[in-house]
Amino acid sequence: MTLVHFDSASLTLQFMPFHLLKKKELLSALSVDYLKSQLTQQAHIRMQLPVTLSNSEPEPDIAVVHIDPKAYGVRGAWRQPYRHPSPQEIFFLIEISDTTLRIDRQEKTLIYAGANIPEYWVLDVVQRQAYIYRHPTPVGYQSETILSDSEVINPLNFPSVSLSFIEMFLP
């Protein structure tokens, strides 16, 4: 079985056998597929592509954003300029954390909260738990919740959608 992998450094699609993928890349791809199936026609799911904040363009592992008929990041699409989702267009961001847990939980929470991203998740591959950050302020998120991989969550912007973390972690 193969998986399509987007290499952002070379801007190419690569077809890779599952067994050659890093655990983080595989988990990201599986999570994107799951989110797409659960949020069909409600959100656009982006994988390892930039979002535009006031002073940077980070590349979260997963961005759940407003559906844009002008196609984010496609030059010439509908004769619109090249762009990425802005904070007002972001429902929530997800980082898949294997070796970057400290950075994802400390540094990135400050960046995303400061940009007023309403919800930010860190999926800890090692401990199989999710850190959920909500209610941004200029100095961080007001709320942190830790959930196990067997729990479900209703995203703030999709209260009627229940997402299962077991579907977002490898067996």
Side-chain angles (χ1 to χ4, degrees):
M1 178 177 251
T2 60
L3 179 74
V4 176
H5 171 72
F6 179 73
D7 180 359
S8 58
S10 65
L11 299 176
T12 60
L13 289 177
Q14 301 172 345
F15 294 92
M16 303 179 73
F18 271 125
H19 68 279
L20 294 180
L21 288 174
K22 292 181 197 172
K23 192 175 201 179
K24 177 178 175 169
E25 291 172 332
L26 181 56
L27 186 59
S28 295
L30 293 173
S31 295
V32 164
D33 287 346
Y34 174 66
L35 290 168
K36 283 181 179 180
S37 74
Q38 300 302 302
L39 297 171
T40 301
Q41 299 182 1
Q42 297 179 70
H44 179 70
I45 314 301
R46 295 166 52 95
M47 183 172 148
Q48 298 174 335
L49 293 171
V51 295
T52 301
L53 307 181
S54 63
N55 59 356
S56 65
E57 283 199 335
E59 296 181 12
D61 292 320
I62 300 170
V64 179
V65 302
H66 290 244
I67 295 172
D68 181 8
K70 298 173 189 136
Y72 299 114
V74 178
R75 292 189 189 275
W78 297 71
R79 299 180 187 248
Q80 297 296 317
Y82 183 81
R83 70 183 196 85
H84 300 294
S86 65
Q88 300 80 11
E89 298 167 305
I90 298 170
F91 292 120
F92 60 97
L93 299 176
I94 301 173
E95 293 289 353
I96 310 291
S97 190
D98 49 5
T99 60
T100 59
L101 187 61
R102 186 194 62 76
I103 293 168
D104 293 338
R105 290 192 57 216
Q106 294 175 11
E107 295 175 24
K108 291 183 182 179
T109 55
L110 295 175
I111 293 167
Y112 296 149
N116 205 32
I117 306 299
E119 189 166 7
Y120 169 54
W121 302 358
V122 177
L123 302 184
D124 179 352
V125 173
V126 177
Q127 297 297 318
R128 296 184 60 88
Q129 57 190 15
Y131 296 88
I132 309 302
Y133 299 94
R134 292 178 166 174
H135 313 294
T137 71
V139 295
Y141 284 94
Q142 290 179 355
S143 166
E144 176 192 53
T145 305
I146 302 171
L147 301 174
S148 73
D149 67 353
S150 63
E151 295 185 68
V152 299
I153 189 169
N154 300 88
L156 288 176
N157 283 291
F158 306 100
S160 63
V161 174
S162 293
L163 298 175
S164 169
F165 285 112
I166 200 74
E167 298 292 334
M168 298 176 75
F169 283 95
L170 295 172

